[in-house]
Amino acid sequence: MTKNLRSLVTILTMALLIAGTAFFSESSLTANNAGAPSMRTGSPGDTKSCTNCHSGTSQNVTGILTTNIPPTGYIPGSTYIIEAICNDPAKNRFGFEISPQNLTGAKLGVITITDAARTKLVGSGKYVTHTAAGTSGTGTITWSFNWTAPPAGSGDVIFYGAFNFSNHNNASGGDIIKLDHITLFEDLTTWTETISSSEEIKLYPNPVADVAHLIIGESTQLNRVSIYNSIGVIVRVVDNESLDNHFEINVATLAAGTYYVSFATAKGNYSGKLIKL
């Protein structure tokens, strides 16, 4: 092989190596642009965040995640809007992943996509992330989706989110990763149980300092209501002397904490959580 031929082979080899590196780098970038892998919210259950793929810094922040859930908390089974807003005048590419979880990492509630062009579900619906079309924004970007609250008794729901403020340099380095979370409380102001299509049981106010009211459907009559503490011990039995459908439950002397009001009707057994202030 002549010297000129060897030089040509060397040049061609180097060109192929550079092209291959660029291809795989671009492929990796395109994959990230099309959405984050699951388990990248930075939650205690996920442990990972965007920094597992991007070598930029990670910051804990507040104010990115918002919702239309009222201060009294979410009502089980109701649907709400969850929104994430990223602002940085120096950025024009962003990415994200969000998941509603409890402290052990279990999914709570159901995520529904409302902008299929810019957001999608991953991880069997446990996570929502961006699509390739949902990364561009001149200094700001907003994503939103619907969330249906879990059944009664699910307790606190924490929305964990990881957000990539990208420098758009066709590489994974130099990005800024911000982690935000919001805690949503279950609405305990009124506990409602459906007896039939025309009858309900209501327990209010909740939380309560002194007297709670238990109202049962007009055609249902109760003689006795039992109150249990958090470990299942009966601490109060309330007899309905007037035998009507309205109980007054005096809890003024009970210690602050969580209790359960339990009773039976001809149509079934019922119990509701009561918070004593």
Side-chain angles (χ1 to χ4, degrees):
M1 183 182 293
T2 66
K3 182 177 179 180
N4 288 340
L5 183 59
R6 284 197 300 269
S7 298
L8 180 60
V9 170
T10 300
I11 292 171
L12 289 173
T13 301
M14 292 179 64
L16 288 172
L17 286 172
I18 292 171
T21 301
F23 171 78
F24 287 113
S25 177
E26 182 63 26
S27 296
S28 175
L29 177 65
T30 301
N32 288 336
N33 278 351
S38 59
M39 299 182 67
R40 294 297 190 277
T41 67
S43 75
D46 293 338
T47 68
K48 300 176 182 178
S49 71
C50 298
T51 55
N52 286 82
C53 298
H54 300 264
S55 59
T57 58
S58 177
Q59 305 172 6
N60 291 310
V61 301
T62 59
I64 293 178
L65 285 165
T66 62
T67 176
N68 65 342
I69 296 174
T72 52
Y74 69 83
I75 297 175
S78 296
T79 299
Y80 301 96
I81 299 172
I82 310 298
E83 192 171 65
I85 304 174
C86 295
N87 292 307
D88 188 331
K91 305 294 184 183
N92 59 15
R93 289 292 187 278
F94 304 86
F96 83 102
E97 183 169 280
I98 299 171
S99 178
Q101 303 178 10
N102 62 15
L103 289 174
T104 64
K107 173 193 171 189
L108 293 176
V110 177
I111 300 171
T112 303
I113 295 299
T114 56
D115 183 0
R118 302 175 64 251
T119 59
K120 68 178 184 179
L121 295 175
V122 294
S124 300
K126 185 176 180 179
Y127 306 88
V128 57
T129 185
H130 57 271
T131 64
T135 62
S136 299
T138 305
T140 185
I141 194 169
T142 300
W143 301 281
S144 65
F145 56 91
N146 285 351
W147 174 72
T148 301
S154 297
D156 297 351
V157 178
I158 308 171
F159 274 83
Y160 294 96
F163 306 90
N164 182 10
F165 291 66
S166 174
N167 59 8
H168 196 44
N169 65 348
N170 291 334
S172 61
D175 297 335
I176 298 174
I177 309 302
K178 297 186 179 183
L179 305 179
D180 189 15
H181 72 276
I182 54 173
T183 301
L184 307 178
F185 305 99
E186 185 175 350
D187 185 353
L188 297 174
T189 54
T190 299
W191 172 72
T192 302
E193 183 77 37
T194 300
I195 301 177
S196 67
S197 59
S198 60
E199 293 182 280
E200 287 185 334
I201 301 170
K202 292 186 178 182
L203 179 64
Y204 70 93
N206 199 355
V208 60
D210 299 310
V211 178
H213 299 269
L214 178 65
I215 298 179
I216 307 98
E218 292 290 342
S219 64
T220 303
Q221 192 176 84
L222 293 180
N223 297 333
R224 176 169 292 186
V225 172
S226 300
I227 302 177
Y228 296 80
N229 63 16
S230 60
I231 60 174
V233 177
I234 293 180
V235 295
R236 182 73 50 83
V237 174
V238 182
D239 290 312
N240 189 0
E241 297 178 357
S242 61
L243 297 180
D244 61 18
N245 67 328
H246 182 182
F247 269 73
E248 287 190 356
I249 306 173
N250 193 321
V251 295
T253 59
L254 294 181
T258 301
Y259 296 87
Y260 296 89
V261 178
S262 179
F263 52 92
T265 75
K267 298 178 181 179
N269 299 319
Y270 301 92
S271 64
K273 184 185 293 185
L274 181 68
I275 308 298
K276 169 63 172 64
L277 297 174

mmCIF file of all heavy atoms in Angstrom, residues 176-220:
data_model
loop_
_atom_site.group_PDB
_atom_site.id
_atom_site.type_symbol
_atom_site.label_atom_id
_atom_site.label_comp_id
_atom_site.label_asym_id
_atom_site.label_seq_id
_atom_site.Cartn_x
_atom_site.Cartn_y
_atom_site.Cartn_z
ATOM 1 N N ILE A 176 -29.602 22.634 32.754
ATOM 2 C CA ILE A 176 -30.008 22.905 34.134
ATOM 3 C C ILE A 176 -31.245 22.078 34.433
ATOM 4 O O ILE A 176 -32.254 22.186 33.729
ATOM 5 C CB ILE A 176 -30.307 24.399 34.353
ATOM 6 C CG1 ILE A 176 -29.049 25.232 34.106
ATOM 7 C CG2 ILE A 176 -30.837 24.645 35.762
ATOM 8 C CD1 ILE A 176 -29.306 26.728 34.153
ATOM 9 N N ILE A 177 -31.170 21.248 35.453
ATOM 10 C CA ILE A 177 -32.279 20.388 35.842
ATOM 11 C C ILE A 177 -32.900 20.936 37.117
ATOM 12 O O ILE A 177 -32.213 21.130 38.114
ATOM 13 C CB ILE A 177 -31.820 18.935 36.072
ATOM 14 C CG1 ILE A 177 -31.001 18.428 34.873
ATOM 15 C CG2 ILE A 177 -33.020 18.042 36.345
ATOM 16 C CD1 ILE A 177 -31.737 18.474 33.562
ATOM 17 N N LYS A 178 -34.222 21.189 37.079
ATOM 18 C CA LYS A 178 -34.929 21.706 38.247
ATOM 19 C C LYS A 178 -35.970 20.692 38.711
ATOM 20 O O LYS A 178 -36.709 20.135 37.896
ATOM 21 C CB LYS A 178 -35.585 23.047 37.924
ATOM 22 C CG LYS A 178 -34.568 24.136 37.575
ATOM 23 C CD LYS A 178 -35.215 25.494 37.390
ATOM 24 C CE LYS A 178 -34.176 26.554 37.079
ATOM 25 N NZ LYS A 178 -34.767 27.915 36.954
ATOM 26 N N LEU A 179 -36.005 20.453 40.027
ATOM 27 C CA LEU A 179 -36.938 19.502 40.626
ATOM 28 C C LEU A 179 -37.962 20.256 41.463
ATOM 29 O O LEU A 179 -37.606 21.088 42.295
ATOM 30 C CB LEU A 179 -36.187 18.494 41.506
ATOM 31 C CG LEU A 179 -35.044 17.719 40.845
ATOM 32 C CD1 LEU A 179 -34.399 16.789 41.864
ATOM 33 C CD2 LEU A 179 -35.544 16.932 39.642
ATOM 34 N N ASP A 180 -39.228 19.964 41.234
ATOM 35 C CA ASP A 180 -40.309 20.609 41.990
ATOM 36 C C ASP A 180 -41.306 19.540 42.409
ATOM 37 O O ASP A 180 -41.418 18.476 41.769
ATOM 38 C CB ASP A 180 -40.991 21.667 41.118
ATOM 39 C CG ASP A 180 -41.982 22.530 41.906
ATOM 40 O OD1 ASP A 180 -41.926 22.507 43.151
ATOM 41 O OD2 ASP A 180 -42.790 23.225 41.273
ATOM 42 N N HIS A 181 -42.040 19.797 43.485
ATOM 43 C CA HIS A 181 -43.119 18.896 43.888
ATOM 44 C C HIS A 181 -44.192 19.682 44.625
ATOM 45 O O HIS A 181 -43.912 20.703 45.241
ATOM 46 C CB HIS A 181 -42.603 17.742 44.757
ATOM 47 C CG HIS A 181 -42.193 18.155 46.139
ATOM 48 N ND1 HIS A 181 -40.947 18.662 46.435
ATOM 49 C CD2 HIS A 181 -42.883 18.149 47.318
ATOM 50 C CE1 HIS A 181 -40.872 18.945 47.720
ATOM 51 N NE2 HIS A 181 -42.046 18.652 48.284
ATOM 52 N N ILE A 182 -45.428 19.211 44.529
ATOM 53 C CA ILE A 182 -46.535 19.789 45.284
ATOM 54 C C ILE A 182 -47.295 18.652 45.956
ATOM 55 O O ILE A 182 -47.440 17.568 45.389
ATOM 56 C CB ILE A 182 -47.495 20.621 44.400
ATOM 57 C CG1 ILE A 182 -47.994 19.799 43.201
ATOM 58 C CG2 ILE A 182 -46.840 21.906 43.938
ATOM 59 C CD1 ILE A 182 -49.074 20.503 42.404
ATOM 60 N N THR A 183 -47.756 18.908 47.188
ATOM 61 C CA THR A 183 -48.518 17.917 47.938
ATOM 62 C C THR A 183 -49.992 18.307 47.916
ATOM 63 O O THR A 183 -50.354 19.431 48.267
ATOM 64 C CB THR A 183 -48.019 17.822 49.385
ATOM 65 O OG1 THR A 183 -46.629 17.456 49.377
ATOM 66 C CG2 THR A 183 -48.803 16.773 50.158
ATOM 67 N N LEU A 184 -50.836 17.379 47.522
ATOM 68 C CA LEU A 184 -52.274 17.599 47.451
ATOM 69 C C LEU A 184 -52.955 16.773 48.531
ATOM 70 O O LEU A 184 -52.716 15.568 48.656
ATOM 71 C CB LEU A 184 -52.809 17.198 46.077
ATOM 72 C CG LEU A 184 -52.092 17.835 44.877
ATOM 73 C CD1 LEU A 184 -52.681 17.306 43.579
ATOM 74 C CD2 LEU A 184 -52.181 19.346 44.935
ATOM 75 N N PHE A 185 -53.805 17.423 49.315
ATOM 76 C CA PHE A 185 -54.473 16.758 50.420
ATOM 77 C C PHE A 185 -55.862 16.294 49.991
ATOM 78 O O PHE A 185 -56.515 16.910 49.157
ATOM 79 C CB PHE A 185 -54.599 17.701 51.620
ATOM 80 C CG PHE A 185 -53.281 18.275 52.048
ATOM 81 C CD1 PHE A 185 -52.911 19.553 51.662
ATOM 82 C CD2 PHE A 185 -52.399 17.530 52.807
ATOM 83 C CE1 PHE A 185 -51.689 20.083 52.044
ATOM 84 C CE2 PHE A 185 -51.181 18.058 53.192
ATOM 85 C CZ PHE A 185 -50.821 19.338 52.814
ATOM 86 N N GLU A 186 -56.303 15.214 50.588
ATOM 87 C CA GLU A 186 -57.665 14.737 50.338
ATOM 88 C C GLU A 186 -58.658 15.641 51.056
ATOM 89 O O GLU A 186 -58.445 16.021 52.206
ATOM 90 C CB GLU A 186 -57.808 13.306 50.820
ATOM 91 C CG GLU A 186 -59.149 12.674 50.496
ATOM 92 C CD GLU A 186 -59.214 11.214 50.880
ATOM 93 O OE1 GLU A 186 -58.166 10.630 51.223
ATOM 94 O OE2 GLU A 186 -60.323 10.657 50.844
ATOM 95 N N ASP A 187 -59.729 16.003 50.366
ATOM 96 C CA ASP A 187 -60.750 16.876 50.947
ATOM 97 C C ASP A 187 -61.541 16.106 52.009
ATOM 98 O O ASP A 187 -62.260 15.169 51.697
ATOM 99 C CB ASP A 187 -61.689 17.367 49.846
ATOM 100 C CG ASP A 187 -62.710 18.386 50.353
ATOM 101 O OD1 ASP A 187 -62.770 18.600 51.577
ATOM 102 O OD2 ASP A 187 -63.428 18.964 49.531
ATOM 103 N N LEU A 188 -61.379 16.531 53.259
ATOM 104 C CA LEU A 188 -62.099 15.892 54.356
ATOM 105 C C LEU A 188 -63.150 16.818 54.960
ATOM 106 O O LEU A 188 -63.678 16.557 56.052
ATOM 107 C CB LEU A 188 -61.114 15.456 55.445
ATOM 108 C CG LEU A 188 -60.096 14.394 55.024
ATOM 109 C CD1 LEU A 188 -59.079 14.160 56.130
ATOM 110 C CD2 LEU A 188 -60.791 13.093 54.664
ATOM 111 N N THR A 189 -63.461 17.919 54.284
ATOM 112 C CA THR A 189 -64.418 18.863 54.853
ATOM 113 C C THR A 189 -65.810 18.248 54.944
ATOM 114 O O THR A 189 -66.567 18.555 55.853
ATOM 115 C CB THR A 189 -64.483 20.141 54.013
ATOM 116 O OG1 THR A 189 -64.754 19.790 52.647
ATOM 117 C CG2 THR A 189 -63.152 20.878 54.062
ATOM 118 N N THR A 190 -66.158 17.407 54.009
ATOM 119 C CA THR A 190 -67.434 16.690 54.059
ATOM 120 C C THR A 190 -67.224 15.279 53.543
ATOM 121 O O THR A 190 -66.747 15.081 52.436
ATOM 122 C CB THR A 190 -68.501 17.384 53.194
ATOM 123 O OG1 THR A 190 -68.719 18.693 53.696
ATOM 124 C CG2 THR A 190 -69.814 16.615 53.239
ATOM 125 N N TRP A 191 -67.548 14.306 54.392
ATOM 126 C CA TRP A 191 -67.492 12.920 53.946
ATOM 127 C C TRP A 191 -68.875 12.522 53.474
ATOM 128 O O TRP A 191 -69.876 12.705 54.183
ATOM 129 C CB TRP A 191 -67.036 12.018 55.091
ATOM 130 C CG TRP A 191 -67.141 10.563 54.756
ATOM 131 C CD1 TRP A 191 -66.357 9.853 53.910
ATOM 132 C CD2 TRP A 191 -68.131 9.652 55.250
ATOM 133 N NE1 TRP A 191 -66.767 8.551 53.848
ATOM 134 C CE2 TRP A 191 -67.862 8.391 54.660
ATOM 135 C CE3 TRP A 191 -69.214 9.781 56.122
ATOM 136 C CZ2 TRP A 191 -68.632 7.274 54.926
ATOM 137 C CZ3 TRP A 191 -69.978 8.662 56.378
ATOM 138 C CH2 TRP A 191 -69.690 7.420 55.784
ATOM 139 N N THR A 192 -68.979 12.012 52.241
ATOM 140 C CA THR A 192 -70.261 11.647 51.657
ATOM 141 C C THR A 192 -70.230 10.199 51.205
ATOM 142 O O THR A 192 -69.278 9.763 50.562
ATOM 143 C CB THR A 192 -70.603 12.551 50.459
ATOM 144 O OG1 THR A 192 -70.622 13.910 50.891
ATOM 145 C CG2 THR A 192 -71.959 12.196 49.871
ATOM 146 N N GLU A 193 -71.265 9.469 51.560
ATOM 147 C CA GLU A 193 -71.409 8.079 51.146
ATOM 148 C C GLU A 193 -72.773 7.920 50.494
ATOM 149 O O GLU A 193 -73.791 8.393 51.026
ATOM 150 C CB GLU A 193 -71.292 7.146 52.356
ATOM 151 C CG GLU A 193 -71.368 5.675 52.009
ATOM 152 C CD GLU A 193 -70.079 5.146 51.415
ATOM 153 O OE1 GLU A 193 -69.010 5.586 51.868
ATOM 154 O OE2 GLU A 193 -70.148 4.302 50.517
ATOM 155 N N THR A 194 -72.824 7.302 49.335
ATOM 156 C CA THR A 194 -74.083 7.096 48.631
ATOM 157 C C THR A 194 -74.757 5.814 49.105
ATOM 158 O O THR A 194 -74.160 4.738 49.060
ATOM 159 C CB THR A 194 -73.853 7.033 47.114
ATOM 160 O OG1 THR A 194 -73.264 8.256 46.682
ATOM 161 C CG2 THR A 194 -75.167 6.818 46.378
ATOM 162 N N ILE A 195 -76.002 5.951 49.594
ATOM 163 C CA ILE A 195 -76.781 4.784 50.002
ATOM 164 C C ILE A 195 -77.541 4.232 48.806
ATOM 165 O O ILE A 195 -77.556 3.042 48.536
ATOM 166 C CB ILE A 195 -77.779 5.158 51.113
ATOM 167 C CG1 ILE A 195 -77.037 5.720 52.330
ATOM 168 C CG2 ILE A 195 -78.608 3.952 51.523
ATOM 169 C CD1 ILE A 195 -77.953 6.177 53.431
ATOM 170 N N SER A 196 -78.182 5.131 48.102
ATOM 171 C CA SER A 196 -78.923 4.764 46.896
ATOM 172 C C SER A 196 -78.874 5.950 45.952
ATOM 173 O O SER A 196 -78.224 6.956 46.228
ATOM 174 C CB SER A 196 -80.374 4.406 47.248
ATOM 175 O OG SER A 196 -81.063 5.561 47.718
ATOM 176 N N SER A 197 -79.580 5.846 44.844
ATOM 177 C CA SER A 197 -79.552 6.922 43.864
ATOM 178 C C SER A 197 -80.151 8.213 44.402
ATOM 179 O O SER A 197 -79.880 9.298 43.886
ATOM 180 C CB SER A 197 -80.314 6.495 42.601
ATOM 181 O OG SER A 197 -81.670 6.172 42.925
ATOM 182 N N SER A 198 -80.954 8.112 45.471
ATOM 183 C CA SER A 198 -81.613 9.306 46.008
ATOM 184 C C SER A 198 -81.216 9.629 47.448
ATOM 185 O O SER A 198 -81.716 10.582 48.028
ATOM 186 C CB SER A 198 -83.140 9.133 45.937
ATOM 187 O OG SER A 198 -83.549 8.006 46.699
ATOM 188 N N GLU A 199 -80.315 8.835 48.039
ATOM 189 C CA GLU A 199 -79.956 9.033 49.437
ATOM 190 C C GLU A 199 -78.445 9.076 49.623
ATOM 191 O O GLU A 199 -77.715 8.313 48.980
ATOM 192 C CB GLU A 199 -80.531 7.913 50.311
ATOM 193 C CG GLU A 199 -82.034 7.917 50.413
ATOM 194 C CD GLU A 199 -82.513 6.816 51.342
ATOM 195 O OE1 GLU A 199 -82.567 5.661 50.895
ATOM 196 O OE2 GLU A 199 -82.812 7.119 52.503
ATOM 197 N N GLU A 200 -78.012 9.936 50.514
ATOM 198 C CA GLU A 200 -76.601 10.050 50.844
ATOM 199 C C GLU A 200 -76.418 10.164 52.348
ATOM 200 O O GLU A 200 -77.337 10.536 53.073
ATOM 201 C CB GLU A 200 -75.979 11.286 50.181
ATOM 202 C CG GLU A 200 -75.759 11.171 48.690
ATOM 203 C CD GLU A 200 -75.044 12.376 48.135
ATOM 204 O OE1 GLU A 200 -75.155 13.465 48.741
ATOM 205 O OE2 GLU A 200 -74.382 12.241 47.101
ATOM 206 N N ILE A 201 -75.215 9.842 52.805
ATOM 207 C CA ILE A 201 -74.812 10.057 54.192
ATOM 208 C C ILE A 201 -73.732 11.128 54.172
ATOM 209 O O ILE A 201 -72.797 11.063 53.374
ATOM 210 C CB ILE A 201 -74.256 8.771 54.822
ATOM 211 C CG1 ILE A 201 -75.302 7.658 54.786
ATOM 212 C CG2 ILE A 201 -73.799 9.017 56.249
ATOM 213 C CD1 ILE A 201 -74.748 6.302 55.161
ATOM 214 N N LYS A 202 -73.864 12.122 55.023
ATOM 215 C CA LYS A 202 -72.869 13.188 55.095
ATOM 216 C C LYS A 202 -72.368 13.357 56.526
ATOM 217 O O LYS A 202 -73.149 13.306 57.471
ATOM 218 C CB LYS A 202 -73.456 14.515 54.590
ATOM 219 C CG LYS A 202 -73.743 14.520 53.094
ATOM 220 C CD LYS A 202 -74.185 15.897 52.629
ATOM 221 C CE LYS A 202 -74.410 15.905 51.123
ATOM 222 N NZ LYS A 202 -74.808 17.245 50.629
ATOM 223 N N LEU A 203 -71.061 13.567 56.644
ATOM 224 C CA LEU A 203 -70.423 13.804 57.937
ATOM 225 C C LEU A 203 -69.646 15.113 57.838
ATOM 226 O O LEU A 203 -68.744 15.243 57.019
ATOM 227 C CB LEU A 203 -69.479 12.651 58.291
ATOM 228 C CG LEU A 203 -68.703 12.757 59.605
ATOM 229 C CD1 LEU A 203 -69.651 12.754 60.803
ATOM 230 C CD2 LEU A 203 -67.697 11.624 59.721
ATOM 231 N N TYR A 204 -69.990 16.095 58.670
ATOM 232 C CA TYR A 204 -69.353 17.407 58.583
ATOM 233 C C TYR A 204 -69.495 18.115 59.929
ATOM 234 O O TYR A 204 -70.342 17.716 60.754
ATOM 235 C CB TYR A 204 -70.005 18.239 57.471
ATOM 236 C CG TYR A 204 -71.423 18.679 57.801
ATOM 237 C CD1 TYR A 204 -71.675 19.926 58.400
ATOM 238 C CD2 TYR A 204 -72.506 17.846 57.552
ATOM 239 C CE1 TYR A 204 -72.965 20.323 58.732
ATOM 240 C CE2 TYR A 204 -73.790 18.231 57.880
ATOM 241 C CZ TYR A 204 -74.013 19.463 58.471
ATOM 242 O OH TYR A 204 -75.288 19.838 58.807
ATOM 243 N N PRO A 205 -68.742 19.188 60.232
ATOM 244 C CA PRO A 205 -67.527 19.595 59.499
ATOM 245 C C PRO A 205 -66.411 18.603 59.749
ATOM 246 O O PRO A 205 -66.454 17.834 60.710
ATOM 247 C CB PRO A 205 -67.207 20.956 60.122
ATOM 248 C CG PRO A 205 -67.727 20.849 61.518
ATOM 249 C CD PRO A 205 -68.978 20.015 61.430
ATOM 250 N N ASN A 206 -65.435 18.646 58.929
ATOM 251 C CA ASN A 206 -64.358 17.669 59.020
ATOM 252 C C ASN A 206 -63.109 18.260 58.375
ATOM 253 O O ASN A 206 -63.104 18.459 57.155
ATOM 254 C CB ASN A 206 -64.762 16.396 58.271
ATOM 255 C CG ASN A 206 -63.960 15.192 58.674
ATOM 256 O OD1 ASN A 206 -63.029 15.294 59.454
ATOM 257 N ND2 ASN A 206 -64.306 14.050 58.109
ATOM 258 N N PRO A 207 -62.120 18.642 59.150
ATOM 259 C CA PRO A 207 -61.882 18.394 60.579
ATOM 260 C C PRO A 207 -62.885 19.132 61.479
ATOM 261 O O PRO A 207 -63.538 20.070 61.051
ATOM 262 C CB PRO A 207 -60.464 18.926 60.794
ATOM 263 C CG PRO A 207 -59.861 18.994 59.429
ATOM 264 C CD PRO A 207 -60.984 19.286 58.492
ATOM 265 N N VAL A 208 -62.965 18.678 62.741
ATOM 266 C CA VAL A 208 -63.930 19.215 63.680
ATOM 267 C C VAL A 208 -63.266 19.436 65.036
ATOM 268 O O VAL A 208 -62.389 18.670 65.438
ATOM 269 C CB VAL A 208 -65.137 18.264 63.823
ATOM 270 C CG1 VAL A 208 -64.699 16.893 64.331
ATOM 271 C CG2 VAL A 208 -66.205 18.860 64.720
ATOM 272 N N ALA A 209 -63.692 20.491 65.716
ATOM 273 C CA ALA A 209 -63.154 20.777 67.054
ATOM 274 C C ALA A 209 -64.076 20.298 68.158
ATOM 275 O O ALA A 209 -63.623 19.775 69.178
ATOM 276 C CB ALA A 209 -62.891 22.274 67.202
ATOM 277 N N ASP A 210 -65.400 20.462 67.969
ATOM 278 C CA ASP A 210 -66.349 20.164 69.043
ATOM 279 C C ASP A 210 -67.428 19.163 68.627
ATOM 280 O O ASP A 210 -67.474 18.060 69.132
ATOM 281 C CB ASP A 210 -66.995 21.468 69.530
ATOM 282 C CG ASP A 210 -65.977 22.438 70.092
ATOM 283 O OD1 ASP A 210 -65.181 22.014 70.938
ATOM 284 O OD2 ASP A 210 -65.970 23.617 69.666
ATOM 285 N N VAL A 211 -68.323 19.599 67.735
ATOM 286 C CA VAL A 211 -69.475 18.764 67.384
ATOM 287 C C VAL A 211 -69.500 18.508 65.879
ATOM 288 O O VAL A 211 -69.459 19.448 65.078
ATOM 289 C CB VAL A 211 -70.796 19.432 67.817
ATOM 290 C CG1 VAL A 211 -71.980 18.561 67.393
ATOM 291 C CG2 VAL A 211 -70.812 19.652 69.320
ATOM 292 N N ALA A 212 -69.579 17.226 65.508
ATOM 293 C CA ALA A 212 -69.749 16.839 64.111
ATOM 294 C C ALA A 212 -71.193 16.421 63.890
ATOM 295 O O ALA A 212 -71.879 15.980 64.825
ATOM 296 C CB ALA A 212 -68.815 15.702 63.753
ATOM 297 N N HIS A 213 -71.653 16.565 62.668
ATOM 298 C CA HIS A 213 -73.025 16.208 62.329
ATOM 299 C C HIS A 213 -73.024 15.080 61.311
ATOM 300 O O HIS A 213 -72.321 15.134 60.302
ATOM 301 C CB HIS A 213 -73.764 17.420 61.755
ATOM 302 C CG HIS A 213 -73.856 18.565 62.708
ATOM 303 N ND1 HIS A 213 -74.911 18.723 63.576
ATOM 304 C CD2 HIS A 213 -73.014 19.596 62.941
ATOM 305 C CE1 HIS A 213 -74.722 19.816 64.306
ATOM 306 N NE2 HIS A 213 -73.580 20.362 63.936
ATOM 307 N N LEU A 214 -73.826 14.068 61.595
ATOM 308 C CA LEU A 214 -73.990 12.942 60.688
ATOM 309 C C LEU A 214 -75.439 12.939 60.216
ATOM 310 O O LEU A 214 -76.362 12.802 61.021
ATOM 311 C CB LEU A 214 -73.663 11.624 61.396
ATOM 312 C CG LEU A 214 -73.829 10.345 60.579
ATOM 313 C CD1 LEU A 214 -72.839 10.321 59.421
ATOM 314 C CD2 LEU A 214 -73.639 9.119 61.467
ATOM 315 N N ILE A 215 -75.633 13.138 58.917
ATOM 316 C CA ILE A 215 -76.978 13.198 58.357
ATOM 317 C C ILE A 215 -77.173 12.030 57.399
ATOM 318 O O ILE A 215 -76.356 11.807 56.497
ATOM 319 C CB ILE A 215 -77.218 14.528 57.627
ATOM 320 C CG1 ILE A 215 -77.102 15.696 58.623
ATOM 321 C CG2 ILE A 215 -78.582 14.540 56.961
ATOM 322 C CD1 ILE A 215 -77.300 17.057 58.007
ATOM 323 N N ILE A 216 -78.241 11.294 57.617
ATOM 324 C CA ILE A 216 -78.538 10.113 56.825
ATOM 325 C C ILE A 216 -79.784 10.376 55.997
ATOM 326 O O ILE A 216 -80.611 11.225 56.335
ATOM 327 C CB ILE A 216 -78.748 8.886 57.744
ATOM 328 C CG1 ILE A 216 -77.549 8.714 58.688
ATOM 329 C CG2 ILE A 216 -78.894 7.609 56.922
ATOM 330 C CD1 ILE A 216 -77.781 9.285 60.040
ATOM 331 N N GLY A 217 -79.941 9.636 54.891
ATOM 332 C CA GLY A 217 -81.115 9.797 54.039
ATOM 333 C C GLY A 217 -82.414 9.696 54.811
ATOM 334 O O GLY A 217 -82.513 9.001 55.833
ATOM 335 N N GLU A 218 -83.429 10.370 54.335
ATOM 336 C CA GLU A 218 -84.704 10.486 55.037
ATOM 337 C C GLU A 218 -85.320 9.131 55.393
ATOM 338 O O GLU A 218 -85.942 8.986 56.437
ATOM 339 C CB GLU A 218 -85.692 11.294 54.184
ATOM 340 C CG GLU A 218 -85.328 12.762 54.037
ATOM 341 C CD GLU A 218 -85.496 13.540 55.334
ATOM 342 O OE1 GLU A 218 -86.198 13.044 56.237
ATOM 343 O OE2 GLU A 218 -84.918 14.632 55.441
ATOM 344 N N SER A 219 -85.155 8.154 54.537
ATOM 345 C CA SER A 219 -85.808 6.868 54.780
ATOM 346 C C SER A 219 -84.948 5.912 55.599
ATOM 347 O O SER A 219 -85.326 4.772 55.839
ATOM 348 C CB SER A 219 -86.172 6.210 53.445
ATOM 349 O OG SER A 219 -85.004 5.900 52.707
ATOM 350 N N THR A 220 -83.761 6.392 56.023
ATOM 351 C CA THR A 220 -82.846 5.548 56.794
ATOM 352 C C THR A 220 -82.796 6.033 58.232
ATOM 353 O O THR A 220 -82.693 7.228 58.491
ATOM 354 C CB THR A 220 -81.432 5.584 56.187
ATOM 355 O OG1 THR A 220 -81.503 5.171 54.828
ATOM 356 C CG2 THR A 220 -80.496 4.668 56.939
#
